[in-house]
């Protein structure tokens, strides 16, 4: 029946911003306002893997494959997370601003 609750998971201390199933539907991930990412396997719904981050809250997430997804939010910088059978780990920041080169030789090339 439409609207029937199938399962309920508790989060740490924040409301949920985004929820997505993995490409196969075998895992469910969600991001919360407490800056956490959470993943649960549909095979074992009693174990929720949670990563609390120091970032501002995430608003959305996108699965890249069965074992990785990207979360983005108020930091305006997406973060990569890696999922294994028994853990979720922070991978990397993906959109880091590069500093401009101050190499004198490259600055002189247009003048020559």
């Amino acid at each position: 029946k439409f609207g029937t609750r199938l399962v309920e998971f508790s989060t740490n201390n924040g409301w949920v911003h985004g929820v997505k199933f993995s490409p196969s539907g075998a895992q469910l991930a969600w991001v919360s306002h407490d800056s956490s990412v959470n993943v649960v396997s549909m095979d074992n719904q009693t174990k929720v893997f949670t990563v609390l981050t120091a970032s501002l809250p995430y608003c959305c997430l996108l699965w890249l494959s069965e074992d990785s997804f990207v979360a983005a939010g108020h930091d305006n910088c997406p973060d990569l997370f890696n999922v294994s059978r028994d853990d979720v780990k922070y991978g990397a920041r993906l959109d880091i601003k590069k500093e401009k080169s101050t190499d004198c030789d490259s600055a002189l090339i247009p003048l020559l």
Side-chain angles (χ1 to χ4, degrees):
K1 180 180 169 188
F2 180 77
T4 302
R5 180 175 55 198
L6 301 175
V7 67
E8 183 175 339
F9 304 105
S10 65
T11 60
N12 291 320
N13 290 315
W15 56 87
V16 173
H17 284 292
V19 178
K20 293 272 193 247
F21 280 98
S22 65
S24 70
Q27 299 176 94
L28 178 69
W30 66 93
V31 292
S32 300
H33 194 73
D34 62 353
S35 300
S36 69
V37 295
N38 306 273
V39 178
V40 66
S41 171
M42 295 296 103
D43 294 336
N44 182 6
Q45 297 177 6
T46 60
K47 179 65 177 160
V48 177
F49 298 103
T50 300
V51 177
L52 290 172
T53 68
S55 301
L56 291 174
Y58 297 110
C59 296
C60 59
L61 65 107
L62 176 69
W63 285 90
L64 302 175
S65 66
E66 281 300 312
D67 56 357
S68 65
F69 63 90
V70 173
H74 297 285
D75 270 352
N76 295 323
C77 189
D79 291 331
L80 174 69
F81 292 87
N82 298 309
V83 181
S84 66
R85 183 165 264 238
D86 56 353
D87 201 7
V88 176
K89 293 189 182 212
Y90 176 81
R93 218 154 239 248
L94 298 178
D95 193 18
I96 299 173
K97 184 177 179 180
K98 294 181 180 178
E99 294 184 27
K100 291 184 179 180
S101 175
T102 58
D103 187 10
C104 293
D105 293 337
S106 64
L108 292 176
I109 291 174
L111 298 175
L112 298 176

